[in-house]
Amino acid sequence: MLAGIYSRYGIMYSMQNNFDTSHEFYNKALEIARRINNKDLLSTIYQNNAISYQQQSNYSQALKNYQNALNASEQINDEEGEAFIYLNIGITYNTLEDYTRSEQSYLKAIALAKKLDLKNVLAYSYSNLASLYEDLKNYSKEYEAGMKGATLGKEIGDQGIEASSLSRVARALAQQNKFEEAEKLARQAIEVGDSS
């Protein structure tokens, strides 16, 4: 399908940091997907375009594209797609330091991921939520979310998310003056990170 080909070109140019060309191809793909009213394809293209805007630090356009992707996914009851989109929206709001909206988005992603047993979305949502709580200096919540992210990361074999979650947990413990336990988890995070 031509829209899919245009979208893949958009991804390719985005990976090369050639964003103007990337957006041109995404727009061509969106035009076709709209014309044939393919909501699944629309959601995917909007998400990819949003990621391209994120790479440019154009967060308003990223959020606009994520919202369009979310609308398309909701129209076809694609809850799995919605879970991924909410995770990415949460990351975007966290970057903008809009912690309230970021937390709300992560929690929506978590609720959908639990319902659908999407352990990868859960692991990334909890790890990013831990980062948000670190920014808010809420170290008990950072610890709790980080442990969930680390446990899920280990369960799905994602050593990167396991290591980053463990390092957040170690930091949360250090901020609470629990240095011995923090050092133990920091060393564990290094071991897991090195082995990946």
Side-chain angles (χ1 to χ4, degrees):
M1 172 181 292
L2 190 56
I5 293 169
Y6 283 142
S7 182
R8 284 189 282 285
Y9 271 108
I11 293 168
M12 180 186 71
Y13 282 110
S14 181
M15 290 171 69
Q16 296 171 12
N17 295 328
N18 190 342
F19 298 113
D20 289 342
T21 305
S22 172
H23 295 305
E24 285 177 31
F25 278 103
Y26 285 134
N27 288 333
K28 287 178 183 181
L30 286 168
E31 186 180 316
I32 295 168
R34 278 191 215 103
R35 194 167 53 238
I36 62 174
N37 198 29
N38 185 326
K39 303 294 185 193
D40 187 45
L41 189 56
L42 276 170
S43 178
T44 300
I45 298 165
Y46 277 125
Q47 286 180 73
N48 289 336
N49 204 19
I51 291 166
S52 184
Y53 279 117
Q54 257 182 306
Q55 291 172 305
Q56 294 175 269
S57 301
N58 187 339
Y59 301 114
S60 62
Q61 281 298 316
L63 287 168
K64 181 180 176 184
N65 277 270
Y66 281 133
Q67 188 58 56
N68 288 333
L70 188 60
N71 292 341
S73 289
E74 287 172 344
Q75 289 175 27
I76 57 172
N77 296 315
D78 177 13
E79 291 183 318
E80 184 174 336
E82 290 175 49
F84 280 101
I85 296 165
Y86 277 122
L87 168 59
N88 285 320
I89 289 172
I91 291 167
T92 307
Y93 277 127
N94 196 31
T95 302
L96 292 169
E97 298 180 1
D98 185 339
Y99 300 122
T100 300
R101 286 184 178 157
S102 179
E103 181 182 35
Q104 290 168 348
S105 298
Y106 289 142
L107 293 176
K108 286 177 183 177
I110 288 167
L112 285 167
K114 283 181 177 178
K115 177 182 176 183
L116 302 169
D117 196 32
L118 301 172
K119 291 184 179 169
N120 57 339
V121 175
L122 276 173
Y124 280 86
S125 295
Y126 279 123
S127 185
N128 281 288
L129 192 58
S131 177
L132 178 146
Y133 290 137
E134 178 183 330
D135 292 340
L136 294 175
K137 299 181 180 6
N138 188 332
Y139 303 118
S140 60
K141 282 190 172 184
E142 178 186 5
Y143 174 86
E144 183 182 323
M147 284 304 292
K148 288 178 181 177
T151 301
L152 285 158
K154 183 173 186 167
E155 191 175 319
I156 63 174
D158 189 327
Q159 292 176 313
I161 205 69
E162 180 185 358
S164 65
S165 296
L166 285 171
S167 69
R168 288 187 173 102
V169 169
R171 178 175 156 68
L173 289 169
Q175 290 294 332
Q176 297 172 73
N177 298 322
K178 299 176 182 176
F179 298 114
E180 193 173 318
E181 192 178 352
E183 183 179 0
K184 179 182 168 190
L185 287 172
R187 289 184 189 280
Q188 187 179 343
I190 292 168
E191 286 175 24
V192 172
D194 283 348
S195 68
S196 70

